[in-house]
Amino acid sequence: MTENKKTLIWILIPFIYGLLSNYFMIFIPSLLSQLVFAIFWFWVGIRFSCLKGSSIKWFIVGNSIWLVSFLLYLWQFVALEDEGRNMFLALISQNYMLPFIWSGTRISLLFSNVLDGATITIIAYLTMFAVFTLGFIVGKFKVR
């Protein structure tokens, strides 16, 4: 299997974890999940930065599922009212960032004592993006 195909499989792993966790109701402590996936996602960012070709292309490819999932989440939970949501799309859009829910909760609590699910999820998505981006940048400097 080529390096490019492996990297495409790596970007599916957070989604698969979220899907399996929700479907089988697997409980993994959120801090442990956060630590493992933060290290993994940082590493994936590094790997994507080292691929041959356009850095911009690989950065976009590395965040493609993240972006689709994030936009789907915003559409279902921010743009639509409760009665307008498609339950399948609403549920599937929450799987990708699930490993980062701990950081979403902790960062949200820094700004408010009220836990709002939409805010926590958006922060978790942004944290996930930041970890990948940091890994990508570190990978670029490491290559030089």
Side-chain angles (χ1 to χ4, degrees):
M1 187 179 296
T2 67
E3 186 71 17
N4 294 354
K5 288 181 183 177
K6 287 179 188 175
T7 56
L8 295 177
I9 291 171
W10 293 334
I11 64 173
L12 287 173
I13 290 176
F15 178 75
I16 293 167
Y17 166 79
L19 192 66
L20 292 175
S21 294
N22 280 331
Y23 185 75
F24 292 113
M25 295 303 204
I26 299 169
F27 178 75
I28 297 174
S30 57
L31 177 58
L32 177 62
S33 172
Q34 172 77 55
L35 291 173
V36 169
F37 272 93
I39 293 167
F40 170 73
W41 207 234
F42 182 81
W43 178 80
V44 170
I46 291 172
R47 299 301 305 156
F48 267 84
S49 73
C50 296
L51 293 173
K52 294 189 185 324
S54 169
S55 293
I56 295 170
K57 171 192 163 191
W58 287 118
F59 183 79
I60 292 170
V61 169
N63 286 296
S64 59
I65 296 174
W66 175 91
L67 181 61
V68 169
S69 187
F70 183 56
L71 291 175
L72 200 57
Y73 180 83
L74 291 176
W75 174 43
Q76 291 296 306
F77 288 94
V78 177
L80 295 177
E81 297 294 325
D82 290 344
E83 62 274 353
R85 286 187 191 131
N86 177 308
M87 289 309 292
F88 175 75
L89 294 177
L91 289 171
I92 210 84
S93 71
Q94 297 176 67
N95 288 323
Y96 202 67
M97 63 76 221
L98 190 61
F100 289 83
I101 204 72
W102 183 86
S103 60
T105 304
R106 295 296 170 237
I107 294 170
S108 176
L109 285 172
L110 292 174
F111 300 103
S112 173
N113 292 335
V114 178
L115 291 174
D116 176 56
T119 302
I120 291 169
T121 303
I122 290 169
I123 292 170
Y125 266 113
L126 295 176
T127 303
M128 186 177 190
F129 181 75
V131 168
F132 182 92
T133 302
L134 187 60
F136 196 88
I137 292 168
V138 166
K140 278 296 171 193
F141 283 115
K142 189 175 129 182
V143 170
R144 292 181 188 183

